[in-house]
């Protein structure tokens, strides 16, 4: 069959500029994928070199609006390590609380987005409704729903009251019930099974070879989780399981995230029931001596890796951030090979890509002679839903 | 009379095109959160559309990254008149926290004309809906803000 | 020290290793020894995960750090290349996961990974003519008249 090249780019159909993905099709099957990103490249690493460590707290948070806290924990941990200070235990617990609340909001968000991709908009409405409980808790303690400004170098900036602690526990009871419902849906709902089972296969050896991270690899049976392997904040104390499945498909990635919700709830309950008293911050100097440090966290999407090189001033010499989505892009290419075009939206969505980088418009290239036809992500999503509907699966 | 009818239709249900011009996604998530049952912008007749050719209102987020600048211009050009642009968030308004970064142009208004700014980093969903309603009210009154 | 760390240090004996703290090991090698060292990590320690590649302009030269992960231990290979010859051997044949990280080095610092299968722009715009932003002597390009 005639080979067709599909460029997938950002925003609008009529544009010929560089695209996110160029997909080579043979009929309806994907043969190859080429990646081009950069649409949200702002130049943050360079900007960090001209701002103080305190100013950078607010910038680092905004690398991504969904895993923002994972980034700021890495940043403060890096600086604290070079300074050689230990933050108070209560501060560690509060940081861990926020890390897990962020995982909850992110996983609920993702379930909704995944539902939307396969035409299951009710799931989107329900999960985002439930997610609002997490947003309320985040706002109650930090003052903001997104970008919480909770950390400072040396600890956290706001404390938890007894009232807050109780409300967090109540929230967990509610969310646990809701997660139970989603677990049933994920395993039994025909729409999800049709679109997710055996779709987007990533074999364990490929997952490892391509250095992929997060739920994406845990769904291929790889037991890796930075919280357990290289514990930070309070994770050395909180009991939790590293969730894996071995189906290696999109369904596996759904199941891992749903089960991780239960683990996060478990961790949060432990934190709230064992919250130590004491200070929440230690004083630190503005200038950070010469040194370097590496910090990585298990963000909702996977390993988030930060490197700091300091030079004795108030500003970093060099700061490097590698977000989990970037680490998973080579694996996405691998997963897309051999699949149907109709499966592209859900496979890409299943790595839980940071939406900004993956704002999807697809450019479909039909061989060398014909000009590319660009279609937007929304149309491809509808194409996928229709394709499956024609084969008997209705949402 | 046709003008009045079209204006009425536009005010009753503006068709919105959402465009992320390099944002961290914080604002984009809150825009979507405005559509869920709790707030439900659809009650006010707001509908998210895919194509610029059918959109009345362009909702933008993000400091315009170099990669997105041309796209933003073209999407704006594709929209039929009368068209309105709403910026959600600090970095769309002025570059925000990314001001000075080599990868960004600055606020959305460095590239296309803007009718309304909804500040915040990110603004709450209720603030976003509030801003949209204010825009609708001003369209009803006769055009630009 | 964990058993993993003990094992790592055993295998790396003879190499210039620095243990910064628990679970942080650094090895400094000249760039000609990069592939040899990467192979040791891959073959003798069976490391498969490359977290990322960091690079920076030290002023006099370009320093490149390869961060690997094994059971929670971060092992970093540190090497350098001169600014007059900013090239390094690609490690993509040993670690396919390096494919995007090496493209990024090229974009922001002008470090050319020799032998990289598909070296194109990753994060900077295709029409970028502004040089290498993460170099210390980099100046923003003049804004053209619109």
């Amino acid at each position: 069959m005639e080979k067709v090249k599909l460029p997938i780019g950002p925003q609008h159909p009529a544009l010929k500029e560089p695209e996110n993905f160029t997909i080579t099709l043979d009929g309806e099957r994907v043969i190859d994928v080429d990646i081009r990103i950069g649409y949200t490249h702002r130049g943050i690493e360079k900007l960090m070199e001209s701002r103080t460590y305190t100013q950078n707290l607010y910038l680092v948070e905004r690398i991504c609006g969904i895993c923002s806290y994972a980034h700021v924990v890495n940043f403060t941990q890096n600086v604290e390590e070079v300074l050689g200070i230990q933050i108070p235990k209560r501060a560690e617990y509060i940081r861990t609380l926020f890390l897990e609340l962020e995982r909850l909001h992110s996983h609920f968000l993702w379930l909704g987005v995944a539902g939307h991709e396969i035409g299951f908009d009710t799931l989107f409405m329900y999960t985002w409704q439930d997610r609002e409980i997490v947003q309320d808790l985040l706002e109650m303690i930090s003052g903001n729903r997104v970008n919480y400004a909770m950390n400072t170098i040396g600890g956290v900036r706001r404390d938890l009251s007894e009232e807050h602690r109780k409300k967090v526990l109540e929230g967990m009871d509610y969310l646990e019930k809701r997660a139970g419902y989603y677990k049933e849906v994920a395993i039994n709902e025909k729409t999800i099974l049709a679109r997710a089972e055996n779709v987007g296969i990533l074999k364990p050896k490929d997952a490892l070879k391509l250095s992929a991270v997060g739920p994406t690899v845990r769904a291929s049976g790889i037991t890796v989780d930075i919280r357990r392997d290289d514990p930070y904040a309070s994770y050395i104390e909180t009991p939790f399981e590293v969730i894996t499945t071995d189906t290696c498909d999109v369904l596996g990635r759904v199941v891992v995230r749903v089960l991780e919700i239960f683990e996060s709830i478990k961790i949060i309950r432990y934190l709230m029931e064992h919250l130590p008293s004491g200070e929440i911050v230690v004083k630190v100097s503005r200038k950070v001596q010469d040194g370097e440090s590496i910090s990585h966290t298990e963000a909702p999407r996977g390993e988030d890796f930060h490197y700091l090189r300091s030079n004795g001033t108030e500003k970093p010499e060099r700061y490097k951030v590698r977000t989990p989505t970037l680490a998973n892009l080579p694996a996405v290419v691998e997963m897309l090979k051999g699949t149907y075009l109709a499966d592209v939206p859900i496979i890409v969505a299943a790595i839980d890509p940071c939406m900004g980088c993956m704002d999807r418009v697809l450019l479909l290239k039909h061989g060398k002679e014909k000009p590319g036809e660009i279609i937007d992500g929304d149309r491809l999503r509808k194409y996928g839903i229709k394709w499956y509907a024609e084969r008997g699966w209705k949402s | 009379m046709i003008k009045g009818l079209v204006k009425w239709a536009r005010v009753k249900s503006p068709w919105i095109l959402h465009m992320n011009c390099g944002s961290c996604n914080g604002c984009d998530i809150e825009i979507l959160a405005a559509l869920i049952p709790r707030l439900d912008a659809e009650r006010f007749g707001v509908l998210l559309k895919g194509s610029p050719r059918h959109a009345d209102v362009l909702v933008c987020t993000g400091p315009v990254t170099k990669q997105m600048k041309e796209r933003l211009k073209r999407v704006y050009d594709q929209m039929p008149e009368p068209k309105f642009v709403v910026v959600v968030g600090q970095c769309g308004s002025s570059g925000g926290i990314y001001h000075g970064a080599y990868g960004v142009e600055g606020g959305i208004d460095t590239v296309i004309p803007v009718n309304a700014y909804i500040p915040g980093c990110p603004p709450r969903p209720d603030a976003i809906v509030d801003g949209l309603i204010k825009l609708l009210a001003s369209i009803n009154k006769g055009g630009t803000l | 020290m964990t058993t993993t760390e003990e094992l790592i240090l055993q295998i790396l004996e003879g190499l210039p290793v620095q243990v910064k703290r628990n679970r942080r090991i650094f090895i400094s090698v000249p760039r000609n020894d990069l592939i040899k060292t990467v192979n040791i990590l891959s073959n003798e320690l069976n490391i498969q995960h490359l977290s990322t590649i960091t690079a920076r302009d030290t002023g006099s030269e370009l320093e490149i750090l390869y961060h690997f992960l094994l059971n929670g231990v971060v092992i970093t290979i540190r090497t350098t290349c001169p600014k007059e010859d900013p090239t390094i051997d690609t490690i993509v044949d040993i670690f396919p996961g390096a494919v995007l990280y090496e493209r990024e080095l090229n974009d922001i610092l002008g470090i050319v990974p020799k032998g990289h299968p598909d070296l194109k722009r990753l994060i900077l715009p295709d029409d970028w003519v502004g040089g290498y932003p993460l170099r210390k002597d980099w100046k923003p390009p003049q804004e053209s008249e619109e």
Side-chain angles (χ1 to χ4, degrees):
Chain A
M1 212 185 195
E2 188 200 342
K3 274 196 196 154
V4 155
K5 261 197 176 179
L6 282 148
I8 301 181
Q11 234 54 48
H12 191 254
L15 308 176
K16 291 183 219 116
E17 277 79 359
E19 42 287 343
N20 281 358
F21 293 123
T22 298
I23 292 189
T24 307
L25 285 182
D26 186 355
E28 284 178 326
R29 288 271 187 192
V30 175
I31 307 175
D32 199 8
V33 182
D34 187 44
I35 299 173
R36 178 71 169 93
I37 56 173
Y39 303 99
T40 45
H41 182 68
R42 291 147 283 176
I44 289 178
E45 290 176 9
K46 183 77 179 181
L47 194 55
M48 287 181 75
E49 292 174 11
S50 52
R51 295 199 180 167
T52 66
Y53 290 101
T54 312
Q55 290 171 323
N56 278 321
L57 280 170
Y58 304 101
L59 181 56
V60 163
E61 206 166 34
R62 289 159 173 82
I63 293 172
C64 169
I66 306 173
C67 319
S68 76
Y69 195 65
H71 286 299
V72 86
V73 165
N74 270 327
F75 176 72
T76 45
Q77 284 182 170
N78 265 337
V79 182
E80 285 151 7
E81 183 172 316
V82 176
L83 287 171
I85 59 158
Q86 176 68 40
I87 70 171
K89 232 184 176 20
R90 190 177 174 89
E92 277 185 350
Y93 269 61
I94 295 175
R95 283 188 183 177
T96 315
L97 170 68
F98 269 74
L99 283 167
E100 291 306 308
L101 283 174
E102 183 166 79
R103 192 179 322 275
L104 283 178
H105 108 76
S106 177
H107 281 359
F108 275 105
L109 185 154
W110 180 79
L111 274 172
V113 166
H116 177 68
E117 286 299 329
I118 61 177
F120 197 176
D121 277 327
T122 326
L123 187 63
F124 170 74
M125 290 291 172
Y126 280 170
T127 49
W128 279 53
Q129 183 88 304
D130 293 335
R131 181 181 164 264
E132 286 297 307
I133 305 298
V134 186
Q135 300 303 90
D136 285 345
L137 292 174
L138 289 164
E139 190 179 18
M140 173 183 76
I141 305 167
S142 75
N144 209 6
R145 291 161 50 96
V146 181
N147 299 332
Y148 330 117
M150 274 302 281
N151 276 14
T152 184
I153 297 161
V156 295
R157 293 173 64 237
R158 288 178 204 268
D159 204 348
L160 242 64
S161 69
E162 179 55 23
E163 181 67 29
H164 291 164
R165 201 186 63 84
K166 287 204 186 100
K167 283 235 150 60
V168 169
L169 285 168
E170 280 166 24
M172 293 305 112
D173 289 338
Y174 175 80
L175 289 172
E176 190 174 39
K177 275 201 216 78
R178 299 300 298 160
Y181 165 71
Y182 297 123
K183 187 170 150 198
E184 289 306 309
V185 164
I187 300 170
N188 298 315
E189 178 64 43
K190 288 207 180 74
T191 323
I192 294 185
L193 293 175
R195 297 299 305 267
E197 209 169 17
N198 288 320
V199 169
I201 299 290
L202 181 68
K203 299 202 196 65
K205 69 171 174 55
D206 289 330
L208 289 170
K209 192 178 75 165
L210 297 169
S211 294
V213 298
T216 304
V217 310
R218 289 197 282 276
S220 296
I222 314 281
T223 319
V224 82
D225 187 319
I226 309 293
R227 296 175 290 173
R228 189 210 50 184
D229 301 333
D230 188 8
Y232 51 97
S234 306
Y235 291 109
I236 197 110
E237 295 171 41
T238 60
F240 72 99
E241 298 294 316
V242 173
I243 303 290
T244 60
T245 71
D246 52 14
T247 53
C248 305
D249 55 7
V250 169
L251 182 64
R253 289 160 215 145
V254 173
V255 170
V256 167
R257 289 189 180 95
V258 171
L259 295 179
E260 282 185 355
I261 289 175
F262 289 102
E263 294 306 305
S264 290
I265 292 173
K266 200 195 282 180
I267 295 172
I268 293 174
R269 282 195 177 128
Y270 180 92
L271 294 169
M272 294 297 92
E273 281 156 13
H274 297 85
L275 187 64
S277 56
E279 297 299 309
I280 55 169
V281 71
V282 293
K283 234 173 153 22
V284 303
S285 73
R286 281 178 181 270
K287 292 208 173 121
V288 177
Q289 60 266 40
D290 254 23
E292 67 187 337
S293 173
I294 289 168
S295 175
H296 53 168
T297 55
E298 187 70 33
R301 299 181 174 88
E303 181 197 23
D304 176 40
F305 189 98
H306 286 220
Y307 167 86
L308 163 69
R309 178 69 196 232
S310 53
N311 60 13
T313 68
E314 292 180 357
K315 302 180 184 175
E317 171 71 18
R318 174 79 172 96
Y319 205 85
K320 165 79 176 153
V321 177
R322 195 278 280 133
T323 59
T325 300
L326 185 65
N328 280 335
L329 291 183
V332 168
V333 171
E334 196 56 38
M335 284 184 238
L336 288 174
K337 285 182 186 167
T339 61
Y340 288 111
L341 180 61
D343 289 330
V344 169
I346 191 64
I347 294 174
V348 172
I351 65 159
D352 190 3
C354 203
M355 269 157 53
C357 311
M358 316 304 276
D359 227 15
R360 299 173 299 282
V361 165
L362 313 177
L363 176 59
L364 311 186
K365 256 195 210 156
H366 299 264
K368 280 189 201 147
E369 291 80 41
K370 293 188 198 169
E373 176 213 335
I374 309 182
I375 78 172
D376 62 79
D378 202 46
R379 261 177 65 197
L380 187 68
R381 180 184 66 85
K382 288 179 178 141
Y383 166 84
I385 294 166
K386 181 159 165 254
W387 194 88
Y388 272 87
E390 282 163 4
R391 283 153 185 77
W393 294 109
K394 285 216 181 320
S395 304
Chain B
M1 193 183 86
I2 303 289
K3 252 198 191 155
L5 194 66
V6 170
K7 190 151 108 179
W8 175 90
R10 188 166 296 117
V11 173
K12 285 302 167 189
S13 69
W15 288 9
I16 295 206
L17 178 69
H18 164 226
M19 189 165 179
N20 174 327
C21 299
S23 88
C24 74
N25 281 149
C27 292
D28 308 281
I29 301 295
E30 296 295 67
I31 291 169
L32 282 180
L35 291 176
I36 56 161
R38 209 191 240 192
L39 266 184
D40 200 3
E42 281 188 23
R43 269 192 294 137
F44 303 106
V46 171
L47 288 167
L48 273 183
K49 283 285 167 191
S51 164
R53 293 191 200 280
H54 301 123
D56 299 304
V57 180
L58 179 64
V59 175
C60 298
T61 59
V64 186
T65 55
K66 305 272 187 220
Q67 293 260 57
M68 289 306 288
K69 183 174 163 182
E70 288 306 309
R71 278 164 195 72
L72 177 60
K73 270 199 202 135
R74 289 194 197 203
V75 167
Y76 181 73
D77 290 340
Q78 299 264 348
M79 288 169 71
E81 293 281 357
K83 51 193 171 186
F84 306 90
V85 177
V86 177
V87 167
V88 173
Q90 220 44 54
C91 50
S93 304
S94 66
I97 196 129
Y98 310 111
H99 186 77
Y102 68 77
V104 314
E105 289 288 326
I108 302 282
D109 59 15
T110 59
V111 181
I112 57 174
V114 174
N115 299 93
Y117 301 84
I118 304 176
C121 192
R124 298 172 53 97
D126 7 27
I128 295 170
V129 175
D130 182 58
L132 285 172
I133 295 174
K134 288 203 166 90
L135 180 70
L136 295 187
S138 84
I139 294 174
N140 198 27
K141 284 211 189 85
T144 50
L145 277 167
Chain C
M1 192 175 285
T2 61
T3 33
T4 307
E5 285 171 280
E6 282 168 8
L7 177 67
I8 294 170
L9 291 174
Q10 227 177 348
I11 303 281
L12 297 178
E13 208 178 301
L15 289 175
V17 163
Q18 180 200 14
V19 179
K20 264 201 189 286
R21 65 146 169 104
N22 60 319
R23 293 194 295 271
R24 299 286 186 267
I25 296 173
F26 285 74
I27 317 163
S28 299
V29 299
R31 84 174 146 163
N32 289 337
D33 286 347
L34 174 67
I35 297 298
K36 188 174 77 177
T37 318
V38 170
N39 271 319
I40 293 175
L41 295 186
S42 173
N43 300 333
E44 297 184 45
L45 285 165
N46 201 25
I47 292 179
Q48 291 182 280
H49 187 83
L50 172 72
S51 286
T52 192
I53 307 174
T54 303
R56 84 183 164 97
D57 181 348
T58 66
S60 53
E61 56 188 358
L62 302 169
E63 177 185 77
I64 315 170
L65 303 170
Y66 295 78
H67 306 285
F68 299 91
L69 185 65
L70 180 69
N71 296 345
V73 179
V74 180
I75 304 151
T76 303
I77 298 179
R78 191 197 311 270
T79 189
T80 60
C81 66
K83 286 192 194 180
E84 312 80 52
D85 174 33
T87 62
I88 193 81
D89 290 321
T90 182
I91 66 166
V92 152
D93 309 304
I94 318 166
F95 282 88
V99 67
L100 298 183
Y101 307 139
E102 288 185 350
R103 275 168 70 181
E104 189 185 356
L105 293 185
N106 189 235
D107 260 2
I108 58 174
L109 276 161
I111 297 172
V112 179
K114 289 191 293 192
H116 189 283
D118 188 29
L119 195 65
K120 352 186 243 275
R121 287 238 175 262
L122 184 71
I123 51 180
L124 291 178
D126 273 341
D127 57 1
W128 177 267
V129 291
Y132 306 116
L134 270 296
R135 294 266 181 118
K136 287 294 175 185
D137 55 6
W138 178 79
K139 295 240 172 356
Q142 299 256 272
E143 297 285 45
S144 56
E145 297 303 312
E146 288 286 340

